[in-house]
């Protein structure tokens, strides 16, 4: 690997030269077009010995090779992070394991983005996606975050490939990318989150994320704390159109729909048009349909039982376009809670990723 990097760095140096006269261009061609053996640049000799690799790194020639932002002069000033490349890498990972759940990591990536952002408390301005605090204990081991180590580990190769992106930007971008890749709306997203160092981390209190066996009051307590209204609450709950519950994680079991890897309004259609009854089992309170294949949490049922929630639930069951629009707005807001974006930076309105 080092020899390969040294070779690429040498080629970069030879093609562009080194300012200040430290290294010459090094190609004194003979009349026949062959390079003179005596004109091999000093850089190549150093690279072969290992010193050239060090020099190349210090000079910035390896920055593009290693995925690092340039550190030398004008190259650093003109460096533009390629977020489309990050998106493509995430997309490549989503269906990389046919044996995982329903053949896609997409729903899991949405859950990671959701849970890293949903810890925000507007009263204390603590929590949220900034800092990527789920890397630390005890948050990493909260019951609500069970199973998310799989998502964090899945994205680690992407982080290594693009070390210039913060974990907090990567996790939220991965969630937005997953939704779009599974047929959902474009999620406005912008970078700017930073990762806390261990000494900066202050543990958050557990209990900031929703508990599926609770009632409408609990749902409002959780979402109002973040700054969402009833319409936004229902729209965000529509993310349950994706994925499934696992008995070894949340204690609940089963998918909400028969298309758990496709983003749609099917969750609301099932909730309003299907018949639900309490599941008879030794697990926590949940509901199932007549087939026993689909499930709803108690918090899901309250979207139908609560009059204020119900009006939006019925609206989204009938109008997928309205759901997509409201979800995109609410989810983008969720991903930005507590993030100290620079003053004057426009609100999240990123263009759609290039094809």
């Amino acid at each position: 690997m080092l020899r390969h990097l040294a070779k690429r760095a040498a080629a970069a140096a030879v093609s562009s030269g080194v300012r200040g006269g430290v290294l010459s261009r090094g190609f004194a061609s003979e009349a026949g077009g062959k390079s003179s053996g005596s004109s091999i640049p000093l850089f190549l000799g150093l690279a072969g010995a290992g010193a050239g690799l060090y020099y190349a790194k210090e000079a910035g020639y390896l920055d593009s090779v290693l995925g690092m932002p340039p550190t030398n002069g004008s190259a650093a000033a003109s460096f533009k992070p390629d977020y489309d490349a990050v998106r493509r890498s995430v997309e490549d990972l989503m269906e990389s394991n046919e044996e995982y759940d329903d053949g896609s990591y997409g729903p899991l990536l949405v859950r990671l983005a959701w849970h890293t952002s949903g810890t925000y408390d507007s009263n204390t301005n603590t929590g949220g996606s900034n800092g990527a605090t789920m890397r630390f204990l005890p948050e990493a081991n909260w019951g609500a975050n069970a199973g998310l180590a799989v998502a964090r580990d899945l994205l680690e190769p992407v982080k290594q490939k693009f070390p210039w992106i913060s974990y907090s930007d990567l996790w939220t971008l991965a969630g937005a990318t997953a939704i779009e890749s599974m047929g959902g709306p474009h999620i406005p997203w912008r970078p700017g989150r930073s990762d806390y160092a261990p000494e900066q981390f202050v543990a958050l209190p557990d209990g900031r994320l929703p508990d599926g066996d609770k009632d409408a009051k609990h749902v409002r307590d959780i979402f109002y704390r973040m700054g969402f209204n009833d319409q936004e609450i229902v729209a965000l709950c529509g993310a349950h159109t994706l994925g499934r519950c696992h008995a070894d994680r949340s204690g609940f079991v089963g998918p909400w729909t028969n298309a758990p890897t496709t983003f749609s309004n099917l969750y609301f259609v099932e909730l309003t048009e299907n018949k639900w009854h309490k599941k008879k089992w030794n697990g926590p309170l949940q509901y199932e349909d007549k087939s026993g294949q689909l499930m709803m949490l108690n918090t899901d049922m309250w979207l139908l039982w609560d009059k204020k929630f119900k009006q939006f639930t019925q609206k989204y069951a009938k109008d997928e376009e309205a759901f997509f629009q409201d979800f995109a707005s609410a989810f983008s807001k969720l991903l930005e809670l507590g993030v100290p974006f620079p003053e004057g930076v426009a609100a999240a309105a990123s263009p759609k990723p290039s094809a």
Side-chain angles (χ1 to χ4, degrees), residues 276-281 285-289 298 305:
W276 302 96
H277 60 269
K278 290 183 180 180
K279 181 178 178 67
K280 296 180 180 179
W281 70 321
L285 173 64
Q286 68 176 71
Y287 293 77
E288 63 181 4
D289 69 345
N298 199 51
W305 297 337

Side-chain angles (χ1 to χ4, degrees), residues 44 88 144 223 233 256 293 353:
L44 291 179
R88 290 192 293 271
F223 284 89
I233 291 173
W256 289 268
Q293 301 300 308

